[in-house]
Amino acid sequence: MMRALLISPMVLACAACVQPATGPDQRGGEPVRVTNNGQPFAMWEGAQARKAADAACGGKVRVSIYDRYDRATGEWVYAEGCA
């Protein structure tokens, strides 16, 4: 019984770490979503999408392991927003 009480907070803490980045990150940045001038990017056009995200930020976008390609919309999503 005591063992279950010790594991439970750790499980909750780990569950919080793997939530998808859909809203502002901890530093307050909104995710940057980019398309190819209103048209969807292809999944293999990541380099072009990164340049578009840098331009949208007016400098640099924060790159993270949570960046992804959204197949439904054709957008590249940079989860941590602008630098």
Side-chain angles (χ1 to χ4, degrees), residues 7-79:
I7 293 173
S8 181
M10 286 201 303
V11 170
L12 290 175
C14 284
C17 294
V18 295
Q19 295 295 321
T22 57
D25 73 350
Q26 293 174 353
R27 291 171 278 192
E30 289 288 328
V32 175
R33 302 178 74 91
V34 293
T35 59
N36 191 3
N37 294 319
Q39 298 298 314
F41 273 113
M43 183 181 270
W44 57 85
E45 294 178 311
Q48 291 174 341
R50 170 68 188 279
K51 289 177 186 176
D54 286 341
C57 286
K60 284 221 167 248
V61 69
R62 280 192 207 128
V63 180
S64 77
I65 61 170
Y66 301 107
D67 299 341
R68 64 193 178 280
Y69 176 74
D70 187 345
R71 289 179 192 216
T73 63
E75 296 174 318
W76 276 89
V77 180
Y78 295 90

